[in-house]
Amino acid sequence: MSILNFVGRAALASIFIQGGLSALQHPQQRARLVERAGLPEPERLTQINGGVMAASGALMALGIMPRTSALALLASMVPTTVVGHPFWQLEGAERQGQMLHFSKNVAMMGGLLLVVADRGK
C-alpha cells in the first residue's frame, strides 16, 4: 500500500467518521430531514446510517477492506445526499447553500469510486 493511498483514504474517511459519530450521538436534527422525506423510524434510520458511515469510514481509513467499505459508504451517501440536500425544493440563498452541499457529496462519491476502483497496483 502506498503512503498516498493511505493518506488519501484517511482524509476521505475523516468526514464519514466524524459525521457518523455525530449522527449516532445526536440524531435529532438529521432525523427531522428523514421524517420530512416520509421515511419510517427516522431517528433509527439516522443512527443506522451514522453507524455505517463511522464503521465503514474507520475500516477504509485503516485499509481494512477499503473497497467494500467504500461501497458501503457509497450506498449510504445516495439517500443521505437526496434527503439531506434537496436544493431543488428551495429558492434563493438556501438553494445555493444546499446545492453546494449536494455537489460536495457528489464529489465525495467520486472519491469513493476511486477507492472502489483501486486494485492496489
Side-chain angles (χ1 to χ4, degrees):
M1 165 181 46
S2 84
I3 190 72
L4 290 177
N5 282 349
F6 173 77
V7 171
R9 279 198 316 268
L12 181 58
S14 66
I15 195 165
F16 294 107
I17 296 167
Q18 184 276 326
L21 291 174
S22 176
L24 281 168
Q25 295 168 349
H26 309 286
Q28 299 80 14
Q29 182 178 353
R30 292 176 182 154
R32 283 194 291 276
L33 295 170
V34 174
E35 185 174 34
R36 277 190 227 143
L39 298 169
E41 298 190 57
E43 198 161 308
R44 182 177 303 230
L45 285 176
T46 300
Q47 289 177 314
I48 289 169
N49 192 46
V52 167
M53 286 187 170
S56 296
L59 290 171
M60 186 176 75
L62 295 170
I64 300 169
M65 300 187 312
R67 295 174 67 218
T68 302
S69 300
L71 279 172
L73 289 167
L74 272 166
S76 74
M77 282 298 292
V78 172
T80 296
T81 301
V82 172
V83 169
H85 306 294
F87 67 88
W88 53 91
Q89 297 174 350
L90 306 169
E91 294 182 17
E94 191 176 9
R95 178 184 177 97
Q96 291 300 101
Q98 289 303 317
M99 191 180 300
L100 178 65
H101 288 295
F102 186 95
S103 298
K104 170 199 50 102
N105 283 12
V106 170
M108 290 189 310
M109 287 185 237
L112 291 169
L113 286 170
L114 290 172
V115 173
V116 170
D118 182 19
R119 303 260 184 220
K121 299 173 191 170

